[in-house]
Structures are given as C-alpha cells and as structure tokens.
Amino acid sequence: MTIDTVICDFDGTLTDSEASLGGFFPEYERLFIEALGIDPSSYARALGIVQTELRADPNKGWELAGHIVAPINSDPFAFNTASHTDLLKRLREGRFEGMLSPSYVPNEKQAGELTNKCHLAAYGEKNIVFRDGAKRFVEGLLQVGYNVTIVSNSGTAAIEKALEDNGFSNIPVIGMARKYLIDPRFTNVPVGVNIPGLVRQALLRRKLYNAVLERICPDPSKGVMVGDNFELDLVLPLHKGFAGVLTNTPAAVGYEIDYMNAHPKGMYAETFEQALSFIRER
C-alpha cells in the first residue's frame, strides 16, 4: 500500500451543502448587518445586485486581495463569502452611496476578518447532513487502516462535534485551514497552473494550506486529497505530488472533470465507491 494518508475536506465533500444550510444564511446576514449598522432591506437589495452580476459573468470568481482564489459557484458557502467580500469592496469604492449607509466601512484586511467571523459564528446554525455514501466511505478508509484527517476552512469544534455525533470521534480535524489565502511571497511553488478550459491560471501559492499538507503528510507520494472544490482543495496537492479525488457535486464543471480524469494521479469520482476503489489501488 503506497498511500497511507487520506486528507479529506468536509463541507460539500462529505456533507450535502444545500441540505446542511439550516439557519446559516439568516444568522450570517444578521451578524453582517449588525457589524456594519446597515438597513436590512437596503442590504438585501445591494446583495441581490452583487450576486446577480457575479452569476452573470463566467469569468468572475471569489476574489481576495486581487486574486481569484476559486470559482464563484463552487459551493453555497464560498459564493456567500465571495458575494459579501465583493459587497464590501464596492462599499470601499463608494458604489452604494445612497443605498447603504454603514456606520463604518472595513478596509480590505478588516473585510476578510469580518466575513470569516460571520462564517464561523453562523456555522453553528447549520444542520449537518452527510451525503449518501459518505459515512460508508469514511468507514472504508478507516477499515483499511489509512490515516484520515479532515482539513477545512470551517471551525474545528463544529466539525469535531458532527463527526462525533456520527461515530467518528477519533478522526483528527484541522479547521481554519484558509485554503483560499494566496501569499505572493511564497515562492516554493509557481504562481499557478494552466488548466485547459479555464481562462485564468488556478493559483498555487496557498502558503497556509501548504503548511497543513506538509504537516499531515511530509511525503506527498503517500497521500491523497479528497475534495469537492477543484481549486481550493486539489490544485495545490496535485502539484505537490499528492493523488487527488474530485467528488461529484453540482458545482463541478467540465474542465475540472477533464483535468482530473487526465491527470496521472487524479480522478473525478461519480460515487464514493469509486473514490474508495481509486485510493485502494494507489
């Protein structure tokens, strides 16, 4: 067995993002409105404008500090964060004057802290629903004897509780991985990788995520990353030499599927059974 370590994303990979929403969005919106001191109806109008424009442009993405870190439609939570990040950017540019009158406008660093704070606080209002076959997949990994670790952008404690409630209390969780953060000064890897069908590069310089990967599995030839978000979860591990599995979700697009299936160490898994077989064959 060459592979001995399986690193797995949580939200959207093992869980059903749509079914798990619960009270996440109402709580996020309440916290966001309260933090900025803005009128709820005006906020809803402004957010609607932002989200309509983001969805209408296929070249748009989740933009942070001038870098597009993931597709805009990658999952409901990423789209929510991207929308609110864009809304805050427009506020800084004065583009919603007359519609929104915030008590303060966060700078770029504060905006990132605010969206992250709202996400983590609202996460506790979710109703975690595992995807069909996900628990059997995890059980299968553990039965084989793989070292399984969950790595997520969400908070550690909430994921640990969800795992414990479903009989997986011994799986380590590394939360707050911030896979989305790009550090241009991190030159251990190239700026990005060209993906056929993608009009921009998929960015690689995710320093914090790289450190997590190296801590869990110093030898990439012995590890596999399983995730639902091609750019956030998989592009960096594949570049480093990990094997990678992109799980089947409505957000997966053609060029991502083609790239994974053409990659010598990658696959697009229609089912968790396929993912488990792929890992066991490595």
Side-chain angles (χ1 to χ4, degrees):
M1 182 173 69
T2 303
I3 296 292
D4 61 20
T5 299
V6 178
I7 305 171
C8 197
D9 178 56
F10 190 69
D11 297 309
T13 299
L14 297 179
T15 69
D16 184 323
S17 292
E18 295 290 346
S20 298
L21 287 173
F24 175 86
F25 284 144
E27 180 64 4
Y28 187 106
E29 291 167 1
R30 183 189 70 79
L31 293 167
F32 189 86
I33 289 167
E34 184 179 276
L36 267 63
I38 50 181
D39 172 65
S41 59
S42 300
Y43 154 80
R45 230 171 84 216
L47 184 65
I49 291 170
V50 170
Q51 293 184 335
T52 298
E53 292 180 5
L54 290 178
R55 288 192 177 102
D57 186 348
N59 295 321
K60 285 286 188 181
W62 177 4
E63 185 176 337
L64 285 174
H67 306 290
I68 295 180
V69 300
I72 199 70
N73 65 340
S74 52
D75 67 62
F77 305 109
F79 182 64
N80 181 67
T81 300
S83 301
H84 284 84
T85 300
D86 194 279
L87 174 57
L88 291 169
K89 180 182 178 183
R90 296 186 194 205
L91 281 176
R92 289 196 298 276
E93 295 170 349
R95 293 169 62 186
F96 280 124
E97 285 186 14
M99 183 184 299
L100 291 176
S101 302
S103 56
Y104 94 109
V105 177
N107 62 32
E108 190 170 70
K109 182 175 183 294
Q110 292 168 335
E113 292 169 350
L114 174 60
T115 55
N116 191 52
K117 179 181 178 181
C118 291
H119 177 91
L120 293 176
Y123 193 91
E125 301 300 317
K126 287 178 60 180
N127 175 33
I128 301 296
V129 178
F130 278 81
R131 296 177 63 188
D132 288 343
K135 288 193 270 190
R136 289 192 302 275
F137 171 66
V138 176
E139 289 165 355
L141 294 173
L142 296 174
Q143 287 170 5
V144 174
Y146 294 113
N147 301 311
V148 179
T149 302
I150 303 295
V151 175
S152 172
N153 292 326
S154 298
T156 302
I159 296 174
E160 286 177 336
K161 183 179 186 308
L163 290 171
E164 184 176 347
D165 289 347
N166 286 274
F168 300 119
S169 57
N170 294 323
I171 296 179
V173 176
I174 298 178
M176 296 284 290
R178 301 193 179 187
K179 304 172 195 176
Y180 47 81
L181 286 185
I182 304 296
D183 186 345
R185 299 165 298 180
F186 178 60
T187 57
N188 295 32
V189 296
V191 172
V193 59
N194 294 318
I195 308 293
L198 181 61
V199 297
R200 54 181 173 78
Q201 282 195 317
L203 300 181
L204 290 172
R205 292 183 171 174
R206 303 169 191 264
K207 183 179 180 180
L208 295 180
Y209 186 27
N210 184 76
V212 170
L213 293 172
E214 292 187 348
R215 174 154 46 111
I216 297 170
C217 187
D219 182 355
S221 69
K222 295 184 179 297
V224 59
M225 178 67 206
V226 181
D228 69 306
N229 193 309
F230 176 68
E231 292 186 54
L232 288 185
D233 296 325
L234 293 161
V235 173
L236 177 60
L238 285 170
H239 175 81
K240 290 174 65 65
F242 285 81
V245 177
L246 177 64
T247 56
N248 174 24
T249 69
V253 296
Y255 68 79
E256 298 173 345
I257 295 169
D258 292 343
Y259 185 87
M260 293 303 298
N261 286 334
H263 196 287
K265 300 187 75 172
M267 86 163 298
Y268 173 70
E270 293 278 357
T271 66
F272 283 109
E273 289 79 8
Q274 289 178 357
L276 184 58
S277 295
F278 171 84
I279 295 169
R280 296 185 69 168
E281 290 167 3
R282 304 307 296 175

